[in-house]
Amino acid sequence: MEGRATASTPAALPYYVAFSQLLGLTLVAMTGAWLGLYRGGIAWESDLQFNVHPLCMAIGLIFLQGDALLVYRVFRNEAKRTTKVLHGLLHVFALIIALVGLVAVFDYHRKKGYADLYSLHSWCGILVFVLYFVQWLVGFSFFLFPGASFSLRSRYRASHVFFGATIFLLSVGTALLGLKEALLFKLGAKYSLFEPEGVLANVLGLLLACFGGVVLYILTRPDWKRPSQAEEQALSMDFKTLTEGDSPGSQ
Amino acid sequence: MEGRATASTPAALPYYVAFSQLLGLTLVAMTGAWLGLYRGGIAWESDLQFNVHPLCMAIGLIFLQGDALLVYRVFRNEAKRTTKVLHGLLHVFALIIALVGLVAVFDYHRKKGYADLYSLHSWCGILVFVLYFVQWLVGFSFFLFPGASFSLRSRYRASHVFFGATIFLLSVGTALLGLKEALLFKLGAKYSLFEPEGVLANVLGLLLACFGGVVLYILTRPDWKRPSQAEEQALSMDFKTLTEGDSPGSQ
């Protein structure tokens, strides 16, 4: 693009990324199938409003959030700033879709007169939302907003990556709790009779856990990190920011 | 011990380790309190046999498994072989205690005539057991049994660490599913009335997630890894094994 040398992509990485996308799309499709086959489908202005919640969360807080984490592994030779913007945008889409899912369940509870925020699923869910929003705001301030110094960015980077992965894993755990809750409230003791809905939802749960595991594997393989020439280019861009008015001593 | 230089422990590490132990002991105590206060306590030869299951899993597959992962961060200057043996032993204790918990629930189901392995919790639980057992066997063969070559150990090490952390996180997720299942089967719609048992179990769930998060944080901080002089000593020990009859070219 700008005369830089391009680094080769590790041989196995594309297969793992493809597998993660297959898992992610399958789990979204299976969530849709579960809601369509056993829960009457989806609508906003009826009892089906509840079903907007699991579908939005599967798309936003699982699939899109997972993909946002993979951006730096997939786009290895593009300009760092382009990759950053894509990473930030995918998280914004994930957050907006998840917010629709959140409004759906609160609105449904209000119309039905059900209590809010009593279950472990809801407590974990609120925790995920707060952490996700704070992580996005802090990430934006440090990495996309031009004010943060190079040293500050470097020091924050490791925490950003750790909390990003942790929030994603907590999202997967929260989705599993929600799935279990939805199953037990409807099936009760019939769950033990291997009802088709129960088996389908169990498989969906395993898919959720596998998607989390594969994304984590791709993220944590040290030799699959974005190659150093791209990092070095970013470093020079950061130094450019630094010399254009940022204070090296700022905290 | 053997005239080696000892590396200093990172300043914040002991506080994080102490916090993880506080969380771990509190979650074990709170599991005991939950079973004692709301489930009639624990016994083998009665309906209380079921309660052996959550307590054994909290001690074995959560607390002891988590601590086994932390061994290399806590014992930084001891001989590598001693640390390895401690790591392996803690995992053996965890596995034995978890097996007692597994036998308890299957025996309880058999006596009551309940179905086995129909729930997402049980599917995830069996997956954890199989992976944990395989990981232990493969880990033992590579790292404690003197037959594996140095290069083979090095190549396997990263996978061992990744799968160790993943199995631990899957154990935490499975425990959350089990907790939710136990709550919903007993409380049902009363869960939404903020019953004391429900609130206590939700707090226990958050403690489980926090313990998982703190252990993961300690494990993944690159500057908290076991210092290189200890690694180098281990390397020379491995070379000793290598020169005493192991083939460098062996797979």
Side-chain angles (χ1 to χ4, degrees), chain A residues 115-124 127 158-159 162-163 165-166 169-170 173 176-185 188-189 191-194 198-199 201-206 209 213-214 216-218 220 222, chain B residues 115-124 127 158-159 162-163 165-166 169-170 173 176-185 188-189 191-194 198-199 201-206 209 213-214 216-218 220 222:
Chain A
D116 286 319
L117 300 178
Y118 61 85
S119 73
L120 181 57
H121 166 67
S122 62
W123 290 21
C124 288
L127 185 65
S159 303
F162 174 78
F163 280 104
T166 303
L169 292 174
L170 191 58
L176 291 176
L177 286 175
L179 184 65
K180 187 100 193 194
E181 192 172 287
L183 273 185
L184 284 177
F185 272 137
Y191 192 21
S192 68
L193 302 175
F194 292 89
V199 175
N202 286 0
V203 174
L204 175 54
L206 290 183
V214 172
L216 196 68
Y217 184 76
I218 297 171
T220 54
Chain B
D116 287 319
L117 300 178
Y118 60 85
S119 74
L120 181 56
H121 166 68
S122 62
W123 288 22
C124 289
L127 185 65
S159 302
F162 173 79
F163 280 104
T166 303
L169 292 174
L170 190 59
L176 290 176
L177 286 175
L179 184 65
K180 186 99 193 192
E181 192 171 288
L183 273 184
L184 284 176
F185 272 138
Y191 191 19
S192 69
L193 303 175
F194 292 89
V199 175
N202 286 358
V203 174
L204 175 54
L206 290 182
V214 173
L216 197 67
Y217 184 75
I218 298 171
T220 55

Side-chain angles (χ1 to χ4, degrees), chain A residues 25-70:
Chain A
L25 289 170
T26 309
L27 79 82
V28 168
M30 200 178 259
T31 306
W34 167 51
L35 297 170
L37 283 170
Y38 300 105
R39 302 279 167 147
I42 282 177
W44 193 263
E45 292 296 340
S46 75
D47 278 5
L48 300 177
Q49 187 181 19
F50 176 83
N51 296 347
V52 175
H53 177 73
L55 189 65
C56 281
M57 294 309 178
I59 297 171
L61 278 186
I62 306 297
F63 184 55
L64 283 183
Q65 186 184 178
D67 274 9
L69 304 190
L70 296 183

Side-chain angles (χ1 to χ4, degrees), chain A residues 8-195:
Chain A
S8 64
T9 301
L13 177 58
Y15 296 101
Y16 278 82
V17 171
F19 183 53
S20 74
Q21 298 312 292
L22 186 69
L23 283 174
L25 289 170
T26 309
L27 79 82
V28 168
M30 200 178 259
T31 306
W34 167 51
L35 297 170
L37 283 170
Y38 300 105
R39 302 279 167 147
I42 282 177
W44 193 263
E45 292 296 340
S46 75
D47 278 5
L48 300 177
Q49 187 181 19
F50 176 83
N51 296 347
V52 175
H53 177 73
L55 189 65
C56 281
M57 294 309 178
I59 297 171
L61 278 186
I62 306 297
F63 184 55
L64 283 183
Q65 186 184 178
D67 274 9
L69 304 190
L70 296 183
V71 157
Y72 289 101
R73 301 296 173 278
V74 174
F75 300 96
R76 307 176 70 75
N77 295 304
E78 287 69 15
K80 183 77 178 250
R81 182 159 287 269
T82 315
T83 320
K84 267 186 193 178
V85 169
L86 183 61
H87 177 76
L89 271 181
L90 274 175
H91 276 309
V92 170
F93 290 145
L95 188 62
I96 291 172
I97 294 171
L99 270 173
V100 175
L102 196 69
V103 170
V105 74
F106 275 102
D107 201 39
Y108 173 78
H109 277 192
R110 187 183 53 77
K111 286 175 189 163
K112 287 279 188 180
Y114 293 163
D116 286 319
L117 300 178
Y118 61 85
S119 73
L120 181 57
H121 166 67
S122 62
W123 290 21
C124 288
I126 292 297
L127 185 65
V128 163
F129 257 87
V130 172
L131 292 175
Y132 198 67
F133 189 61
V134 170
Q135 167 91 344
W136 197 91
L137 277 186
V138 179
F140 181 82
S141 318
F142 275 60
F143 294 127
L144 280 167
F145 203 69
S149 75
F150 172 68
S151 65
L152 198 57
R153 282 185 183 177
S154 297
R155 267 182 288 155
Y156 170 59
R157 186 167 289 120
S159 303
H160 182 78
V161 172
F162 174 78
F163 280 104
T166 303
I167 293 168
F168 172 65
L169 292 174
L170 191 58
S171 305
V172 173
T174 304
L176 291 176
L177 286 175
L179 184 65
K180 187 100 193 194
E181 192 172 287
L183 273 185
L184 284 177
F185 272 137
K186 186 181 163 198
L187 295 179
K190 280 203 294 180
Y191 192 21
S192 68
L193 302 175
F194 292 89
E195 293 272 311

